[in-house]
Amino acid sequence: MSSSSGPLNEELQCSICLDVFTDPVTTPCGHNFCRTCLNNCWTNTQTCFCPFCKETFSRRPDLKINTTLREVVQHFKKQLKRGISEVFCDICDERKQKAVKSCLTCPSSYCETHLEPHHRVPRLKKHKLINAVENLEDYICQKHERPLELFCRDDQTCVCLSCTEGDHRNHNTVPIEEESQQKKNQLVQTQTDVQQMIQNRMKKIQEIQHSVEKRKRNTEKEKSARNQLFTDLIRSIERCQSELLKMMEEQQKAAEKQAEDLIKELQQEITDLKRRNTELQQLSHTDDHLHLIQMFSSLYSRPHTKNWTEISIDSDVDVYSMNKALIQLEKTLDGSLNKKIGQTGLKCVQKFSVDVTLDPDTVSSSLILSDDGKQVSHGDIKQDVPENPKRFDFCSCVLAKEGFNSGRFYYEVQVKGKTEWTIGVARESINRKEKITLTPMNGFWAAILRNKNQYKACESPPVSLSLKVKPEIVGVFVDYEEGLVSFYDVGSRSHIYSFTGQTFTDKLYPYFSPHLNDKGKNSNPLIITPVNKKTALKYET
């Protein structure tokens, strides 16, 4: 292909299949694609859009073949097959004729007229003829001045027959045509891989755009819900409403900016890959064997691009971050609004549920664990347990096997029918061999029930909690980095209490104490219950 055909080839190339158009059709936005490619792109999708500029169409366009463009494509293909040469005959004296062949033995290029002796004279018939090329000296061995007819696979270089009798003696050499064909086959495979990479990146762009659109819908939905919530607030917290809405807008803008940057990076990779694909396409169809081999190493290797498999845009609105601010304002809210906030907060934190199992190496000898490690109760007789530095020797309590030193986690405990209990989290370095005082300073963040209806948060001093409903299942949520420990009544879906502004340095473990049996009055076990996934935060797509 002549150099002038390169840009034209790109203009007549479908951006989906990366080949010259077949039955080209035009979208309302003015871009062209193969009819089959575009129909396949719109298969199993509710929204039709241009794969190139991403413009969305309200209804599926009625695609008709662009006959003018099809004729141009057909003319281009005919010209491409002719392989018009721009090399001129070395023998013509006056008006130079275009050369049709170059002789590696002479070495010279000949037009049809001056090539005739090479077809007639027996001695000339033995010369090596190739399609006309300008840089004929590149096809001649500089050391022996003989045609480069062989390829040395040991040294990965083109050689002449004389080379095989010297430096390349006993090397693995094959005819240059054979090596060229092999590399051409490899280039075809690389081209296929590049095309697949382009398709994957175009698909990733669609996924990112869909995520941004989904997030925008979720943001609007959440803004509407929050606006309704804030209508019930007193005027003293109207400023909080404005700040939270601003936070939501900033989060959306940040998501859109992230998506824009990712799309730009993907589009740049697609542009680079298209350029690479065009070079591969031209090289895989060339008859210039030496040029193919010389360019092979730089084009055959897989392009160095980013792995986009795990990269995506989070389409969920960060309700949790906004809910933290509302918790701080809890005391200013009336009962009904407090319940609404608790419902929203619980839905949010339940997304971070973890599987918790009680650790028999930590359990006090007065407690009894179930075989599955999900229940603990107080026994009338102390158990015979082995010594263990992790075990509680003085107090009737137990830790979970699972500890956390980062991130967020949530679990739920059934306390139904009990008159006393303690639930929360404790740091790993707590004192397990003496009497325990439950305060954050001592490494405990807990809520307790005493005497059937006395609920307290174990601050210093303790904070009495006025609960309108007696909890049957208590949820515990921890945000390690934010220093937050929150308790929820799962049944009424309300917020009980939060420790805020804490600083965690040790690993944190879920902490449990069923307290004394009290002659059967408090015999019910604490039961770690699975979180009901149906209550977790969900958004309509």
Side-chain angles (χ1 to χ4, degrees), residues 85-152:
S85 171
E86 296 297 330
V87 181
F88 294 95
C89 178
D90 293 329
I91 308 302
C92 292
D93 291 331
E94 298 179 357
R95 184 178 179 182
K96 292 285 188 179
Q97 298 295 319
K98 290 183 179 179
V100 295
K101 292 290 183 181
S102 294
C103 178
L104 298 181
T105 308
C106 291
S108 294
S109 297
Y110 302 100
C111 64
E112 196 69 53
T113 301
H114 291 109
L115 182 64
E116 186 273 336
H118 279 76
H119 295 314
R120 175 174 48 82
V121 180
R123 178 176 57 84
L124 297 179
K125 286 183 177 181
K126 298 179 181 180
H127 287 193
K128 180 70 172 180
L129 296 177
I130 63 172
N131 290 334
V133 294
E134 293 180 2
N135 53 332
L136 193 54
E137 64 276 4
D138 292 342
Y139 295 77
I140 306 298
C141 176
Q142 300 299 310
K143 182 176 182 180
H144 302 108
E145 296 184 353
R146 298 186 64 179
L148 296 171
E149 300 179 284
L150 300 172
F151 181 78
C152 177

Side-chain angles (χ1 to χ4, degrees), residues 476-490:
V476 182
F477 172 71
V478 176
D479 186 326
Y480 195 97
E481 282 74 21
E482 291 293 331
L484 175 68
V485 180
S486 295
F487 297 84
Y488 293 87
D489 179 354
V490 177

Side-chain angles (χ1 to χ4, degrees), residues 499-514:
F499 293 86
T500 60
Q502 306 298 306
T503 301
F504 302 132
T505 54
D506 286 10
K507 184 177 288 189
L508 298 181
Y509 289 84
Y511 171 85
F512 310 84
S513 176

Side-chain angles (χ1 to χ4, degrees), residues 444-463:
F444 296 89
W445 294 265
I448 63 175
L449 168 64
R450 298 290 185 268
N451 301 321
K452 294 185 180 180
N453 56 14
Q454 295 179 4
Y455 295 93
K456 294 182 180 181
C458 296
E459 295 272 18
S460 183
V463 176

